[in-house]
């Protein structure tokens, strides 16, 4: 019913930048909060940043000052601009969205993930 497709991951050197995108499609009436999470090998999935439909943002301490989350409601897309990347930012990054669909109510959906590797 609802698909989230991430893009923009890849290999980057320490100190570099990447921009992740996540586009939602499907039977969507409205999208409430959207967010980015990440999971490093051997670790639990953790919050990176979230943004409400009105643009209010929330960041993990590890992301503050380096990452910026934004969204384009018309395009149903959320972005994560990452700068000053560190080795410890290496992870699979997942987007999620709290979506209200036509006729079936609300649910939280996840993308398939995109790999970000910070390495020299």
């Amino acid at each position: 019913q609802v698909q989230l497709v991430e893009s923009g991951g890849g290999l980057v050197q320490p100190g570099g930048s990447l921009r992740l995108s996540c586009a939602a499609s499907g039977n969507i009436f409205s999208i409430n909060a959207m967010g980015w999470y990440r999971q490093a090998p051997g670790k639990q999935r953790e919050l990176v940043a979230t943004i409400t439909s009105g643009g209010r943002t929330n960041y993990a301490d590890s992301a503050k000052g380096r990452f910026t989350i934004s969204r384009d409601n018309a395009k149903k897309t959320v972005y994560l601009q990452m700068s000053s990347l560190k080795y410890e930012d290496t992870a699979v990054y997942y987007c999620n969205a709290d979506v209200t669909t036509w006729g079936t109510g609300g649910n939280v959906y996840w993308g398939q993930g995109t790999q970000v590797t910070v390495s020299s």
Side-chain angles (χ1 to χ4, degrees):
Q1 274 188 326
V2 175
Q3 297 81 39
L4 299 180
V5 178
E6 298 113 332
S7 61
L11 175 65
V12 62
Q13 292 185 341
S17 299
L18 277 178
R19 187 192 196 209
L20 306 182
S21 300
C22 173
S25 63
N27 185 32
I28 298 171
F29 173 73
S30 65
I31 303 176
N32 306 309
M34 304 182 82
W36 288 96
Y37 293 72
R38 68 186 183 186
Q39 187 166 19
K43 295 188 177 182
Q44 290 187 329
R45 190 173 298 188
E46 63 178 8
L47 169 73
V48 177
T50 61
I51 184 168
T52 68
S53 58
R56 186 167 56 198
T57 59
N58 177 58
Y59 294 92
D61 287 344
S62 59
K64 289 178 181 177
R66 299 188 301 125
F67 295 1
T68 301
I69 189 171
S70 61
R71 64 190 282 174
D72 185 328
N73 291 329
K75 294 182 178 180
K76 299 183 180 63
T77 299
V78 62
Y79 305 96
L80 185 68
Q81 178 68 49
M82 304 185 293
S83 59
S84 302
L85 283 161
K86 305 175 182 180
Y87 292 113
E88 51 264 43
D89 294 317
T90 296
V92 177
Y93 283 70
Y94 298 90
C95 73
N96 84 346
D98 180 3
V99 178
T100 301
T101 56
W102 289 97
T104 57
N107 207 345
V108 175
Y109 296 86
W110 291 87
Q112 80 286 355
T114 185
Q115 177 70 47
V116 172
T117 302
V118 183
S119 176
S120 56

